[in-house]
Amino acid sequence: MALTAALRESDGIWFGWSGETGESHDLHFETYEGVTSATIDLSEQDVDEYYNGYANSTLWPLFHYRLDLAEYERDYQGGYERVNRIFGEIIAPHIRPDDLIWVHDYHMIPLGWILRQQGMHNRMGFFLHIPWPPTRLLTALPDHERLVEALFAYDVVGFQSAEWLESFRHYVTHEMDGTVGDDGRITVGARTIQAICCPIGIDAAEFIASARSKAARDVQMRVLESGVGRSMIIGVDRLDYSKGLAERFLGYERFLQKHPDRRALVYLLQIAPPSRTDVQSYQDIRSNLDALSGRINGAYADIDWTPIRYVNQGYPRDSLAGVYRAARIGLVTSLRDGMNLVAKEYVAAQDPHDPGVLILSRFTGAAEQLDGAILINPYSAEDVADAIAAALAMPRPERIARWRPMFDTVKERDVVWWRKRFVEALEGS
Ligand code: GDG
C-alpha cells in the first residue's frame, strides 16, 4: 500500500515472492490499477528455510529482542542466501541502468549485494521496517558480520526511528571499525553509505476519508449499539508475540482487579488476525492467548458483560476505521515495534470534537513521533492498568489538546512524505 502511488507515478515494478509454492521460478507479470508486479513462486523447501526459517524464525525474533525465540539453523541461513540469489538473478535482466532500486525489509538484506555482484551500478536503497537490535543482541547471530556487510552494497539505508539508527551506528563503529562523518554518512573500508531515519506514515488522507465513509459509520454505529454505553478499548494487531498481546490482556485484567466499580463501564475489543501460522512460536502465542482471554472472561464476565471480545479474523479497512472511531481508547502494547501503523490509524480516525485517547508502548518507533499519547511500559501490568484508568477519566479538553498535535503529525508525515524523503536521499549523490 505504501508504495503503490510511487510505483504508479514512476512507472515502476514491484518485485517479490508471489506467496505461492511451485517448482518453477518463472516471472509472472501482472498490472493492477496502473501498478505492475513481477513475482515468482518458491519451492516448499525455499519457503521453509527462507521465509518461515531464516526470515521469520531467526531474524524477526532476534530483531525484536527475542533471543529466546531465535532459531539458528545453517539450513535456514543457506536458504536465505539461496533465495536472495534467485531473486537477484531473476530480476537483474529487467533492470535498466538508470532505474532506482528500493529493497524492503529483513527478508531481502543481501539482495543489493547480489545485484552488485552481477555488475549493477544503479542507485540502491534499503528500508528496514522492523527495529535494528542493540549490538550485544545482534552479535548472538552466527555470521552477523556477513549480514551487516551486505547492507554496505546499498547507497542509502533507512530506519524507522532515531533509536534504531543509533543502534545501527553503534554496531558499525564497534564491530566493523566504521566511522560516522559529520554529515551522518557511514564509512566502512572503501564503502560510504547514507543511513537515515525515515519514519513511515499512513495514507492519512485516504484513512481520514474512509473513517467518514458510510461503511465506517455503519460499523461505528454497530459497535456503539452493541456496547450499550460502555467505553470500548480497541487493539488491532497481527497475531504476533512482538505486539505484547498477553501483556495487554494482563494489564487490562489488572485494571479490572483494581477498579471493580468501573468494570461494567468498559470492554476490550481485540482484533487479531492470525499470521505466519506455519511457525511454531506463532501457534504457541495463539494457544496462550486463547487460554488467557478465556480465563479472564471466565473470571470476570457477568450475565450481560464480557470483558474481552477477542476476534481472530481480519476486517476491511473502512470497517477498521469505523471501529477505531468508536473506541474511547486505542491500546498499543508492543514489546518492540519498528513503527506501528495502528497507532497512527487510530489517531487519524478520531472525531476532532471528541477524540479518544491513545495509550502507546514506549518501545514502538511511533512513540518518537506521537508524544500526545499516554506512553507506557507494557511489561508492567500496573502501568497499563493506570493508563487505562487515566484515559477513561480524561476530560474532553485534555483529550483534544493531546490528540491535535498527533493528528497534525500523522497528516503531515504521511506515507507520501516518507516515500519522498527516502527517494530524495536515494536520488542524491
Ligand atoms: C511492520 C512492522 C511497521 C491489521 N489487522 C487488519 C488490518 N491490519 C493492518 C493495520 C495496519 C497493518 O495491518 C499493521 O501494521 P503495523 O505497523 O501495526 O504492524 P506490522 O504488520 O508488524 O508491520 C511495523 C510496519 O511494518 C510498516 O513499516 O510499522 O513496526 O512490524 O495497517 O491496519 N488491516 C485490515 N484488516 C485487519 O483485520 N484491512
Side-chain angles (χ1 to χ4, degrees):
M1 284 196 58
L3 296 170
T4 306
L7 289 167
R8 199 178 292 131
E9 280 168 29
S10 63
D11 197 20
I13 291 184
W14 187 96
F15 169 72
W17 175 35
S18 62
E20 305 290 330
T21 48
E23 288 311 314
S24 111
H25 289 141
D26 294 343
L27 251 190
H28 309 290
F29 285 90
E30 199 179 328
T31 301
Y32 179 69
E33 294 187 352
V35 177
T36 300
S37 63
T39 58
I40 61 167
D41 299 346
L42 293 176
S43 70
E44 275 183 25
Q45 186 188 354
D46 289 342
V47 175
D48 279 352
E49 293 174 353
Y50 159 73
Y51 183 73
N52 292 327
Y54 202 73
N56 287 327
S57 300
T58 308
L59 295 182
W60 176 273
L62 181 70
F63 277 52
H64 287 88
Y65 298 41
R66 293 299 301 267
L67 268 183
D68 56 320
L69 295 178
E71 294 173 30
Y72 307 116
E73 299 287 343
R74 289 210 176 123
D75 287 350
Y76 289 177
Q77 189 186 354
Y80 182 72
E81 295 190 6
R82 182 178 70 246
V83 170
N84 270 285
R85 187 163 295 285
I86 293 169
F87 284 152
E89 284 168 2
I90 285 184
I91 198 62
H94 299 274
I95 297 173
R96 291 175 306 220
D98 59 345
D99 282 340
L100 293 179
I101 301 171
W102 189 0
V103 178
H104 287 265
D105 232 1
Y106 58 101
H107 318 76
M108 292 197 167
I109 291 173
L111 185 62
W113 180 70
I114 287 161
L115 291 174
R116 294 275 184 236
Q117 281 185 327
Q118 310 223 350
M120 309 234 148
H121 299 291
N122 300 56
R123 295 283 297 175
M124 289 187 207
F126 176 83
F127 186 78
L128 186 69
H129 289 256
I130 64 175
W132 184 271
T135 303
R136 288 188 176 88
L137 289 186
L138 186 51
T139 51
L141 177 73
D143 273 342
H144 54 91
E145 303 89 345
R146 188 174 164 82
L147 188 77
V148 185
E149 270 162 29
L151 279 175
F152 279 78
Y154 297 100
D155 299 293
V156 181
V157 176
F159 298 92
Q160 300 270 31
S161 74
E163 187 178 343
W164 317 140
L165 173 58
E166 187 190 301
S167 295
F168 177 70
R169 285 183 177 166
H170 185 275
Y171 179 94
V172 171
T173 48
H174 287 74
E175 293 288 323
M176 302 175 91
D177 277 340
T179 51
V180 181
D182 292 341
D183 57 359
R185 283 170 202 268
I186 300 182
T187 302
V188 170
R191 282 289 297 170
T192 295
I193 65 169
Q194 203 181 343
I196 60 172
C197 168
C198 187
I200 195 169
I202 61 168
D203 187 341
E206 180 258 4
F207 206 80
I208 293 165
S210 81
R212 292 181 188 145
S213 68
K214 177 164 180 338
R217 269 186 286 128
D218 289 349
V219 171
Q220 187 186 356
M221 287 316 295
R222 222 177 106 197
V223 172
L224 289 172
E225 276 166 20
S226 79
V228 286
R230 295 186 173 106
S231 296
M232 178 172 73
I233 305 171
I234 184 69
V236 176
D237 311 76
R238 275 185 311 100
L239 227 170
D240 192 297
Y241 48 80
S242 67
K243 304 293 182 186
L245 289 161
E247 287 73 8
R248 185 173 316 177
F249 287 179
L250 292 169
Y252 174 62
E253 181 187 31
R254 186 67 66 96
F255 166 81
L256 300 177
Q257 275 168 357
K258 281 178 79 172
H259 303 281
D261 53 318
R262 294 200 230 164
R263 275 180 202 166
L265 302 178
V266 289
Y267 68 97
L268 169 63
L269 172 61
Q270 178 62 53
I271 296 177
S275 71
R276 305 175 191 167
T277 47
D278 291 334
V279 178
Q280 182 63 44
S281 48
Y282 286 76
Q283 295 163 11
D284 295 344
I285 171 99
R286 181 157 190 184
S287 42
N288 284 346
L289 291 170
D290 285 350
L292 192 55
S293 58
R295 181 181 68 67
I296 295 172
N297 279 340
Y300 294 93
D302 210 335
I303 42 173
D304 62 348
W305 174 65
T306 312
I308 303 179
R309 293 188 198 174
Y310 177 45
V311 187
N312 283 137
Q313 69 171 58
Y315 290 89
R317 279 181 76 69
D318 46 8
S319 300
L320 271 192
V323 174
Y324 288 135
R325 200 172 170 101
R328 169 45 52 96
I329 298 175
L331 184 53
V332 177
T333 54
S334 310
L335 304 177
R336 288 295 149 184
D337 216 332
M339 173 53 61
N340 193 280
L341 294 181
V342 168
K344 295 186 172 181
E345 290 164 0
Y346 178 75
V347 168
Q350 295 309 297
D351 174 354
H353 304 293
D354 191 16
V357 180
L358 176 65
I359 299 177
L360 179 61
S361 162
R362 56 174 295 182
F363 303 126
T364 59
E368 280 188 9
Q369 290 183 294
L370 302 178
D371 50 11
I374 301 183
L375 293 181
I376 49 149
N377 171 2
Y379 290 98
S380 160
E382 295 273 0
D383 216 13
V384 178
D386 291 351
I388 294 173
L392 286 173
M394 194 180 286
R396 181 148 64 154
E398 186 180 346
R399 280 188 274 124
I400 294 174
R402 283 171 170 268
W403 170 79
R404 188 81 234 177
M406 293 199 287
F407 181 69
D408 293 342
T409 302
V410 167
K411 232 168 66 174
E412 278 158 30
R413 304 258 155 137
D414 66 351
V415 72
V416 178
W417 176 88
W418 166 76
R419 186 242 300 169
K420 285 192 174 150
R421 178 170 159 71
F422 192 92
V423 172
E424 266 170 34
L426 187 51
E427 281 170 336
S429 52

